[in-house]
Amino acid sequence: MPQKTYDVIIIGAGTAGSILANRLSADPDRRVLVLEAGRWDHKMDFRIHMPSALAFNLTNTFYNWAYESEPEQHMHNRRIAQPRGKVLGGSSSINGMIHIRGNAMDYEKWGAIKGLETWDYAHCLPYFQKMEYRLKGADAYQGRTGGQYLTTPQCDNPLFDAFFAAVQQAGYPITSDVNGHQQEGFGKFESTTYRGNRWSTARGYLHPALHRSNLKLICKALTTRVLFEGLTAVGVEYRKGGKLHKVYAGEVICCGGAINSPQLLQLSGVGNPEHLLAKGVSVVADLPGVGENLQDHLEVYVQCASKRPVSLYPALKPWNMPKIGLEWLFWRKGIGASNHFEAGGFVRSNDEVAYPNLQFHFLPIAIRYDGSAPSEGHGYQLHVGPMYSDAKGSVRLLSNDPTTPPRIRFNYLSTEKDRKEWIEAIACARKIFNQPAFEAFKSKELSPGEHISSDEEVLDFVAREGESAYHPSCTCKMGYDDMAVVDKDLRVHGLKNLRVVDASVMPEITNGNICAPVLMIAEKAADAILGNTPLPPSTLDFYRHTAAGDK
């Protein structure tokens, strides 16, 4: 057995890895090594820290792995972009900074899976509360002690007033907190920002711990494989500066995310033997679920032109950008200090679903993720998409070369249920924009456009214009069935001293943006790894839709 150098090696200093680095190294007798393939999140780089600059990171490769899918058969064979963070903080350093826990019923579904009883809502809620620091103040449902700062937006543009009025005219409720007792309805979306800065998990958890003598971080270190002695993980091999290095530990924890963690397991010989052998990889453990069950949220923009010049469109003009930049640089205020995803909601698109299956983000501007805007100028938009598509994909090796991205296939729009919910989603968005509250603003529908009306035309629009919401998950799912990869404590089945802690372990995707659930998973995993007594389950109730209303 190779000599142990560290007690724990954490692969990836991203959303989950940063939390584990902090929590595990809090024990001064535990030696922790963190290997991050990406860059340092330099404090002076506005691309990382200015909330409204998020488009820079989503459209270049400096802080972004810039993955893309295989040609998607049901989307005109388009390759769909899939940005992933290549920097300390991982995707929490390049995402849209929207803090959504998911619906309580998501975790009730997890807890109903045999063996995962301690992943129900009652057991997960205390860990959400543990990691949150809500600047607005704590309440029964939200915390104010954690490392993840949360800012509640002002929503001070008149288009937000019209939006909140319109959703009520359309028959949908207003909820005071989508992360509290009732997710269903529309309200403000809290952001992972602090005093006008993005607040990634690197800033909230990793940097405050780097002074510890028992914690070592190495950046630009690409882990190429996990090292095994029989069925026991004993260390890792990584590449840095053109050289291969080996380092050993008592436990190895993969925190690479839903794309990189299954890729690393497969490169290490853990996965479907048929797939591994075809790529020249020797099999260590037969786990056919590695890389399978890939789930994501697809979304489109429903955009309208505004006949009143009240949108954020002038911020896109080059002559206005210096002022915006200086206002943010010196005072951390103004347009640059917001992620602009300040409001949205969750609704049921039909009476067959027990809780919301659609998510909306409202923006007081018509714009794409790449920063481009329609030629009409002033406008506003809803991002919309189904939350629980039954279309499942996969992440599989394209090559046994660790520097070659894996083959990613989502299979968007491949099922009847998925297509049905998309037709309903566009109809719901149009219903909101056609309410009287928008009469003073709406000029015309820019996207899809009034000429798109039939179900076939709507689905073709989604196939042509749909984009990932960047929520890949579930590729190393928890559970105990034949396709499960990790157990309830996130240990890889059939192997010793190896865990996975990131979005890949979700058995099913959650309702909304997935960063907050990953933080919760990491906090919960830290207690399991440390052998701490778990936080006691919550006794708080949550909203359930019934014919008679709440109960």
Side-chain angles (χ1 to χ4, degrees):
M1 184 76 68
Q3 183 176 0
K4 181 174 69 172
T5 306
Y6 292 91
D7 293 290
V8 179
I9 297 174
I10 298 171
I11 304 168
T15 305
S18 292
I19 292 179
L20 290 182
N22 182 301
R23 297 306 191 194
L24 301 187
S25 66
D27 175 1
D29 295 326
R30 189 182 299 265
R31 295 163 298 170
V32 179
L33 172 66
V34 182
L35 299 174
E36 168 55 46
R39 304 171 181 272
W40 190 270
D41 60 335
H42 294 288
K43 200 166 186 179
M44 297 304 294
D45 192 337
F46 80 95
R47 293 172 295 184
I48 285 285
H49 304 294
M50 182 180 184
S52 68
L54 62 94
F56 284 96
N57 301 315
L58 295 176
T59 56
N60 67 64
T61 59
F62 192 75
Y63 291 125
N64 179 2
W65 289 107
Y67 293 133
E68 61 180 14
S69 74
E70 293 292 294
E72 290 289 337
Q73 179 182 355
H74 300 279
M75 297 188 69
H76 298 293
N77 288 317
R78 295 167 52 216
R79 293 183 181 269
I80 307 300
Q82 188 59 226
R84 295 286 89 198
K86 187 172 62 175
V87 60
L88 295 184
S91 294
S92 75
S93 289
I94 71 168
N95 66 6
M97 294 156 279
I98 306 167
H99 186 79
I100 300 292
R101 290 177 173 178
N103 194 286
M105 292 297 294
D106 295 332
Y107 306 104
E108 293 296 278
K109 285 196 301 186
W110 290 12
I113 298 171
K114 185 177 181 180
L116 301 186
E117 291 81 6
T118 57
W119 285 92
D120 65 0
Y121 181 68
H123 288 84
C124 290
L125 178 57
Y127 286 96
F128 278 115
Q129 295 168 322
K130 180 181 180 180
M131 62 83 169
E132 293 171 339
Y133 192 106
R134 192 188 194 200
L135 295 165
K136 180 181 177 180
D139 60 22
Y141 287 85
Q142 294 211 338
R144 195 181 165 91
T145 60
Q148 183 61 70
Y149 286 122
L150 302 178
T151 296
T152 304
Q154 296 298 314
C155 294
D156 56 5
N157 187 292
L159 286 166
F160 285 114
D161 296 331
F163 173 66
F164 287 130
V167 297
Q168 293 177 82
Q169 291 168 350
Y172 302 119
I174 295 292
T175 178
S176 61
D177 183 3
V178 297
N179 291 316
H181 173 258
Q182 178 176 334
Q183 185 203 48
E184 184 166 354
F186 289 85
K188 295 180 178 180
F189 280 177
E190 290 174 320
S191 67
T192 53
T193 58
Y194 178 58
R195 294 181 176 175
N197 287 294
R198 175 193 291 273
W199 199 252
S200 67
T201 56
R203 290 291 150 188
Y205 287 86
L206 183 59
H207 286 287
L210 287 178
H211 69 279
R212 297 172 181 165
S213 60
N214 62 322
L215 174 62
K216 183 176 182 179
L217 167 68
I218 304 176
C219 289
K220 295 187 178 180
L222 176 67
T223 303
T224 56
R225 63 187 175 109
V226 178
L227 302 175
F228 291 97
E229 289 286 339
L231 296 177
T232 301
V234 296
V236 304
E237 177 185 82
Y238 69 93
R239 180 177 298 167
K240 181 176 173 64
K243 296 181 179 180
L244 283 177
H245 307 265
K246 292 182 179 179
V247 63
Y248 300 96
E251 184 164 21
V252 175
I253 307 174
C254 297
C255 299
I259 294 175
N260 291 85
S261 281
Q263 180 192 23
L264 178 61
L265 290 179
Q266 291 168 358
L267 288 168
S268 307
V270 180
N272 186 319
E274 180 182 350
H275 300 157
L276 302 183
L277 294 172
K279 301 302 178 185
V281 177
S282 298
V283 177
V284 172
D286 180 351
L287 279 177
V290 174
E292 303 302 308
N293 194 43
L294 174 62
Q295 299 176 38
D296 187 29
H297 294 142
L298 187 69
E299 66 179 14
V300 296
Y301 316 113
V302 176
Q303 300 175 324
C304 292
S306 175
K307 56 191 176 186
R308 292 180 56 189
V310 295
S311 79
L312 300 180
Y313 177 69
L316 302 178
K317 298 299 183 182
W319 52 84
N320 289 326
M321 290 184 178
K323 178 180 180 295
I324 294 170
L326 290 172
E327 190 175 26
W328 176 81
L329 182 63
F330 290 107
W331 296 284
R332 295 298 194 265
K333 294 181 179 180
I335 292 175
S338 172
N339 65 347
H340 305 302
F341 294 102
E342 295 186 359
F346 300 86
V347 304
R348 291 170 292 109
S349 68
N350 59 65
D351 292 331
E352 300 167 13
V353 295
Y355 65 103
N357 62 327
L358 300 181
Q359 182 182 17
F360 297 85
H361 303 78
F362 178 74
L363 275 77
I365 187 174
I367 192 171
R368 300 184 69 88
Y369 275 137
D370 63 7
S372 63
S375 59
E376 283 80 359
H378 284 279
Y380 49 91
Q381 70 187 39
L382 277 170
H383 296 218
V384 61
M387 292 292 97
Y388 304 111
S389 169
D390 57 346
K392 305 294 191 294
S394 61
V395 175
R396 298 177 183 174
L397 293 181
L398 186 61
S399 164
N400 60 14
D401 180 354
T403 64
T404 301
R407 178 180 284 117
I408 305 166
R409 193 181 304 278
F410 292 102
N411 293 319
Y412 299 122
L413 296 180
S414 61
T415 72
E416 182 178 350
K417 173 180 176 291
D418 197 19
R419 294 188 290 270
K420 173 181 179 292
E421 290 191 338
W422 264 112
I423 293 167
E424 295 169 345
I426 300 300
C428 286
R430 283 173 157 171
K431 178 182 179 181
I432 292 168
F433 280 162
N434 287 332
Q435 295 303 315
F438 275 113
E439 284 182 2
F441 300 97
K442 185 177 179 182
S443 170
K444 63 177 179 178
E445 183 179 282
L446 301 174
S447 174
E450 283 86 352
H451 63 288
I452 303 295
S453 58
S454 70
D455 292 352
E456 293 76 14
E457 289 170 334
V458 167
L459 289 173
D460 183 67
F461 161 73
V462 175
R464 286 186 287 105
E465 299 294 333
E467 298 182 3
S468 171
Y470 313 145
H471 301 158
S473 54
C474 307
T475 49
C476 297
K477 73 172 187 175
M478 281 189 285
Y480 294 89
D481 61 38
D482 292 341
M483 297 300 286
V485 177
V486 299
D487 67 12
K488 66 180 179 63
D489 293 319
L490 309 187
R491 296 171 295 206
V492 177
H493 287 302
L495 297 172
K496 295 181 179 179
N497 302 342
L498 180 63
R499 300 186 201 237
V500 180
V501 182
D502 53 38
S504 70
V505 305
M506 295 180 179
E508 294 187 45
I509 197 168
T510 54
N511 188 342
N513 312 75
I514 66 170
C515 188
V518 173
L519 270 71
M520 178 275 294
I521 289 169
E523 287 279 24
K524 203 167 186 298
D527 270 356
I529 295 165
L530 292 167
N532 293 339
T533 300
L535 296 177
S538 171
T539 59
L540 291 174
D541 195 11
F542 56 87
Y543 177 85
R544 300 170 179 84
H545 172 78
T546 67
D550 196 2
K551 69 175 183 179

